Amino acid sequence: SGSSQIPFTASAVGNRLSVTPSNTLEPSTPYTITIEAGAVTDLVGNQNTASESWGFTTLTSAESNANLSGIQ
């Protein structure tokens, strides 16, 4: 199967980068986040020098509903 890009917004606080997809992600689907070399600059102007990738799989619909039921 092929891959496609999903629009997102990103924000950084301290040493944490948060990525929020603009579209709902499909349940039970593997995704990969890739940050290309030079895409991130720190507070003193240094850019990341290498690409980094992280993979994850979304929960099933049932798992998502169970997790949300505990949030108040």
Side-chain angles (χ1 to χ4, degrees), residues 9-66:
T9 57
S11 62
V13 175
N15 64 353
R16 179 171 293 197
L17 177 65
S18 296
V19 177
T20 304
S22 300
N23 302 329
T24 301
L25 300 180
E26 294 295 322
S28 303
T29 302
Y31 289 94
T32 302
I33 295 173
T34 301
I35 298 176
E36 299 296 338
V40 177
T41 304
D42 67 15
L43 295 174
V44 295
N46 300 310
Q47 291 186 325
N48 61 311
T49 58
S51 294
E52 295 283 341
S53 293
W54 299 269
F56 67 96
T57 300
T58 53
L59 300 173
T60 66
S61 294
E63 289 171 327
S64 294
N65 290 337

